[in-house]
Amino acid sequence: MNTLFLSLLIASTLLSLSLSKELCNPQDKQVLLQIKKHFGDPYLLASWKSDTDCCTDWYQVECDSTTNRIISLTVFAGNLSGQIPAAVGDLPYLQNLVFRKLTDITGPVQPAIAKLVHLKSLRLDWLNLTGTVPDFLSQLKNLTFLDLSFNGFSGSIPSSLALLPNLGALHLDRNKLTGSIPESFGTFKGSVPDLYLSHNQLTGEIPASLGNMDFSVIDLSRNKLVGDASMLFGLNKTTDNVYLSRNLFEFNLSNVVFPSTMENMDISHNKIFGSIPPQMTQLRLQSLDVSYNRLCGQIPVGGKLQSFDNSSYFHNRCLCGAPLGNCK
């Protein structure tokens, strides 16, 4: 009987020890508490308490189910001010790092982020970051998603970003970036990312090398780009979204052949001339805007072209036919 009691006692003790054993890695926990202290113990990080388990009780973080190391840190929409601390670079297994919609977060992209070699997704958007887009981001070879949009970054786009072999999307839109689109963006080394460069101050021509890429989405709208953009189209491509509005592009639309996959196209507010190609009647367009250009001739009849109202076509040189007025 005593032996049975002793066995039960040992078993229950081991069970209580295993239940009380903290999953959170002590080094990771220490780093996270440093980050919390750096921001002045904000309410947003109130669940981060030294006497609770960061893997089971803390918000904004996620632990790996096998190793219990921190693999995700997502800080979103709250009252947080100051710079992103260097301590984020001391979470060596981080795969997902997000600071977003925190308009009092200032300073540059934290250089210590370069140490996060396992990082797959880096999202630092809707902040108040300044300085240049750092070259060291090209060292993060596992990145599939990079978003630095809605900040105050200036200077040119580093050509080295084209060296990221797994990049699926690159958001540099809504900043103050200047200079030209890098030639290297026509030679992405792995997958071709969705490319968002709108609402900047980019100048010059689109490098001809971009014609070699099959972008699914490319948004260059609201810059100061000039010249030809027709190389972004092509029958052999699978592009479905092209946004080029409010630039100074000047090319003959009559000669453009579109991918059959094209769904959304906005080329308004440019200096594009020629006529609308009849091939556009074969496209399954969901949205179209060719207004405020120098187009002429009759709008081809058929497909989706008459489903858009006159605002998609008006303010051209001599475009006519439904939904605009009859041709003379």
Side-chain angles (χ1 to χ4, degrees), residues 24 27 37 50 55 72 76-77 91 95 121 124 130 156 160 165 170 195 210 212 264-265 267 275 323:
C24 184
Q27 285 101 332
K37 186 179 178 184
S50 57
C55 288
S72 179
F76 173 74
L91 295 167
Q95 296 175 22
S121 178
L124 308 176
T130 51
S156 58
S160 59
L170 175 60
L195 189 60
L210 264 69
N212 303 325
N264 301 290
M265 183 172 81
I267 59 172
S275 57

Side-chain angles (χ1 to χ4, degrees), residues 132-187:
T132 57
V133 175
D135 208 40
F136 66 69
L137 294 173
S138 63
Q139 298 167 30
L140 302 173
K141 299 299 184 190
N142 290 305
L143 271 188
T144 60
F145 187 87
L146 175 58
D147 188 350
L148 302 178
S149 63
F150 290 88
N151 280 291
F153 292 115
S154 55
S156 58
I157 299 170
S159 59
S160 59
L161 294 179
L163 298 172
L164 291 167
N166 300 299
L167 200 58
L170 175 60
H171 291 260
L172 299 177
D173 44 308
R174 304 217 180 223
N175 280 289
K176 298 172 184 174
L177 299 171
T178 55
S180 55
I181 297 170
E183 185 82 34
S184 63
F185 278 22
T187 57

Side-chain angles (χ1 to χ4, degrees), residues 27-137:
Q27 285 101 332
D28 288 352
K29 186 174 192 176
Q30 206 54 47
V31 170
L32 291 169
L33 290 172
Q34 273 177 20
I35 292 170
K36 183 185 179 185
K37 186 179 178 184
H38 168 90
F39 286 122
D41 296 329
Y43 176 73
L44 187 60
L45 306 179
S47 67
W48 295 14
K49 296 174 182 174
S50 57
D51 59 349
T52 57
D53 192 330
C54 74
C55 288
T56 56
D57 303 323
W58 293 19
Y59 296 118
Q60 289 96 19
V61 293
E62 182 189 340
C63 294
D64 183 88
S65 57
T66 307
T67 64
N68 297 320
R69 299 303 297 257
I70 294 288
I71 56 169
S72 179
L73 171 59
T74 302
V75 187
F76 173 74
N79 290 323
L80 225 61
S81 60
Q83 298 194 11
I84 295 171
V88 296
D90 297 327
L91 295 167
Y93 294 94
L94 210 57
Q95 296 175 22
N96 180 49
L97 177 60
V98 177
F99 281 85
R100 72 181 308 246
K101 294 202 172 180
L102 303 157
T103 52
D104 292 326
I105 295 291
T106 58
V109 175
Q110 171 54 246
I113 288 172
K115 296 193 286 184
L116 300 173
V117 294
H118 298 289
L119 210 58
K120 293 179 180 176
S121 178
L122 177 60
R123 190 166 193 171
L124 308 176
D125 62 318
W126 295 82
L127 309 175
N128 204 3
L129 299 181
T130 51
T132 57
V133 175
D135 208 40
F136 66 69
L137 294 173

Side-chain angles (χ1 to χ4, degrees), residues 242-245 264-270 287-290:
V242 175
Y243 305 104
L244 305 175
S245 65
N264 301 290
M265 183 172 81
D266 185 351
I267 59 172
S268 63
H269 293 269
N270 282 288
S287 67
L288 174 70
D289 195 344
V290 299

